Amino acid sequence: MKKRRLLQSGKLVSEIGLGCMSFGGFYGATTEAESHATLSAARDFGIDLLDTANVYGLGISEAVIGSFLKGDSSSFTIATKAGIWRDKEHGNRGFNNKPDYLRSELEGSLSRMGIDHVDLFYVHRRDRDLEIEEVMETLLALKAEGKIGGIGFSEIAPASLRRAAAVGPVDVVQSEYSLWSRQPDLGMLQTCRELGVTLVAYSPLARGMVSSVLPDPATFLDKDFRKNNPRFLEPNFGFNLPYAKAFQAYASDHGTTATALALSWCLARGEHIIPIPGTRSPEHLAECVSGSEVTLTPEMMREIEGILPAGWAHGDRYSEAQWNGPEGYC
């Protein structure tokens, strides 16, 4: 597995990481044994970046990682997040970036994973009641104490990144980025490149729509994130399906899979991009790894653009409720 720089310190990680949201049941039920098998496969494949958060399954994802690590995190670079609070009983969600809250949530994450520091700590969503400069001061204090190795923000705008970077080094911005969610092309990729910030791309397989096995909304369980997502509801899903099938056919014609091709496209968009596909299956993870082995020519990039042009997806990427949190900038 080839490496890319993650942190401003020069720390390198595998150019494809593992998103661990599915360990918390966001795309259906799973077991600790299945998650452990996937983590074991990641280690064998040379994937050494694990991305989780305190709210993934309300701590389940971190606890599963902790039971796998057994106190030894030497094989992995671990990133987690805080800043979102959830009310398990009523399903409410809000944002809190205050120093005491971020510190206490970080301590909870470290306890669940059985480690004393985390390599990368994100503010998961911005608390609009606090200026981002204040939040940076909190993160820099945690870094000075050795609790975190690097600083990240998830789903912020380029303008917010510039403000944060003026206070201290921001290592990573995490944004949804794939062949059907390309907002980062309109400023974030460029700003990250200018400031030396890594862009970690989550949902690089478009929540399954640019992968080898296309999702069937009829099978989505109630807890599946896609259940009420506009792009998976009719008539949008019916409009999106032919595009996805055409992409699958193109991948097959070039001796690869849609999963591998989608990840190689993401990697080809910039040397500062690290995609983190999520999976609960070692077999699917093996297919993701193969994306690191595909080399796209300029002609192939143009042909893919013809099959899946920017803006091809029908429906918004989030429902009104799901849009609560990400910063808009276009």
Side-chain angles (χ1 to χ4, degrees):
M1 174 65 68
K2 295 186 283 293
K3 302 279 188 176
R4 289 192 172 185
R5 181 177 67 82
L6 178 69
L7 304 183
Q8 298 274 12
S9 66
K11 184 176 182 61
L12 301 176
V13 296
S14 54
E15 68 175 5
I16 295 175
L18 176 60
C20 300
M21 188 171 81
S22 60
F23 293 174
F26 272 73
Y27 294 103
T30 188
T31 67
E32 183 179 71
E34 289 172 332
S35 298
H36 281 189
T38 303
L39 289 167
S40 180
R43 185 169 56 194
D44 292 343
F45 290 137
I47 291 179
D48 57 10
L49 173 61
L50 303 182
D51 186 276
T52 186
N54 61 338
V55 294
Y56 293 169
L58 296 176
I60 291 175
S61 176
E62 291 178 331
V64 165
I65 291 171
S67 61
F68 179 81
L69 295 176
K70 296 179 180 178
D72 180 9
S73 61
S74 58
S75 298
F76 296 105
T77 293
I78 299 176
T80 194
K81 313 175 193 72
I84 298 176
W85 61 263
R86 289 186 182 275
D87 178 345
K88 185 176 182 180
E89 182 177 354
H90 301 100
N92 297 327
R93 184 175 77 156
F95 310 104
N96 188 339
N97 296 172
K98 293 177 182 177
D100 289 347
Y101 183 79
L102 291 180
R103 180 179 293 275
S104 66
E105 290 301 302
L106 174 60
E107 293 289 356
S109 294
L110 296 177
S111 177
R112 283 187 289 274
M113 291 188 284
I115 53 181
D116 60 9
H117 76 282
V118 69
D119 300 285
L120 175 62
F121 186 57
Y122 290 95
V123 169
H124 205 162
R125 294 290 188 272
R126 276 199 63 194
D127 178 349
R128 304 304 171 87
D129 292 333
L130 291 177
E131 301 296 342
I132 199 167
E133 289 85 354
E134 296 178 58
V135 181
M136 273 298 293
E137 294 293 353
T138 299
L139 297 174
L140 289 168
L142 293 171
K143 183 176 179 179
E145 294 170 24
K147 296 285 187 181
I148 65 176
I151 292 170
F153 289 89
S154 180
E155 289 282 17
I156 62 170
S160 295
L161 171 57
R162 291 184 185 280
R163 287 174 57 189
V167 178
V170 178
D171 297 271
V172 178
V173 166
Q174 186 168 139
S175 295
E176 182 175 356
Y177 188 55
S178 70
L179 276 159
W180 84 342
S181 292
R182 295 178 58 174
Q183 185 177 17
D185 285 338
L186 300 177
M188 185 54 79
L189 290 188
Q190 298 88 333
T191 304
C192 284
R193 184 183 295 111
E194 175 190 337
L195 299 177
V197 175
T198 301
L199 184 115
V200 168
Y202 76 84
S203 295
L205 300 178
R207 306 189 191 281
M209 281 303 287
V210 289
S211 63
S212 305
V213 179
L214 296 179
D216 177 3
T219 67
F220 293 166
L221 301 177
D222 287 343
K223 289 186 177 181
D224 193 312
F225 179 87
R226 300 167 293 184
K227 182 79 171 178
N228 298 304
N229 185 276
R231 291 182 177 178
F232 292 94
L233 299 176
E234 294 296 351
N236 293 330
F237 184 77
F239 288 126
N240 289 329
L241 201 55
Y243 287 91
K245 289 181 176 179
F247 183 69
Q248 283 185 330
Y250 180 83
S252 179
D253 289 345
H254 286 78
T256 187
T257 67
T259 295
L261 192 63
L263 291 171
S264 64
W265 176 89
C266 209
L267 291 167
R269 296 293 292 175
E271 290 293 329
H272 60 309
I273 300 171
I274 298 176
I276 50 167
T279 182
R280 297 165 289 169
S281 160
E283 293 76 21
H284 184 223
L285 187 61
E287 190 179 1
C288 291
V289 168
S290 67
S292 180
E293 302 164 1
V294 176
T295 301
L296 296 182
T297 65
E299 181 181 6
M300 291 175 70
M301 292 292 283
R302 287 192 296 270
E303 290 170 346
I304 291 171
E305 189 75 20
I307 297 167
L308 300 180
W312 67 271
H314 290 252
D316 207 342
R317 72 179 175 109
Y318 284 147
S319 68
E320 184 176 346
Q322 292 165 346
W323 261 120
N324 182 20
E327 290 188 338
Y329 52 89
C330 296

